[in-house]
Amino acid sequence: VCFATATISNTFYGLVTSKKALYAAVCVGALSGMSFPTISAIKANNVDLSEQGRIQGALYSIQAVSAGIGPVAMRTVDSFAKQAGLSPGTMFFFAALLQAIALYCA
């Protein structure tokens, strides 16, 4: 559900032309904020008690790396889109593609 709503909201962000549409996209995207706590809980419940610290550390490490790489990747996509004369929402479509891949893998 979280990855699906993130895919939908990022697609809406790319298509938005008015404030009302933006607010609708934000409302849909609010559900995607539950993805990390959900993944964290599922992973923690599927390992031994002695390994829960390791799994939480690994998940937070992945989150930290993605928090560093994500903005750089989106800025790069935005730069290429501007040079190619594409829509300003191209980086949101790219984010929606990444979320769709995550949804497929989940």
Side-chain angles (χ1 to χ4, degrees):
V1 173
C2 298
F3 292 140
T5 58
T7 303
I8 293 167
S9 69
N10 278 318
T11 303
F12 282 166
Y13 290 149
L15 298 172
V16 75
T17 57
S18 69
K19 286 185 180 181
K20 289 181 181 181
L22 179 64
Y23 291 138
V26 168
C27 290
V28 171
L31 293 173
S32 67
M34 297 185 307
S35 61
F36 185 76
T38 303
I39 292 169
S40 180
I42 290 170
K43 295 295 182 185
N45 289 334
N46 288 318
V47 297
D48 294 329
L49 291 174
S50 62
E51 294 178 349
Q52 286 192 359
R54 287 183 185 166
I55 195 70
Q56 292 298 330
L59 289 172
Y60 278 97
S61 296
I62 291 170
Q63 183 185 32
V65 169
S66 64
I69 292 173
V72 174
M74 292 302 120
R75 181 69 182 162
T76 303
V77 170
D78 187 47
S79 294
F80 286 138
K82 284 180 182 175
Q83 290 174 359
L86 298 174
S87 165
T90 303
M91 67 180 176
F92 293 110
F93 296 133
F94 179 69
L97 174 68
L98 294 177
Q99 288 290 338
I101 292 169
L103 178 63
Y104 177 76
C105 291

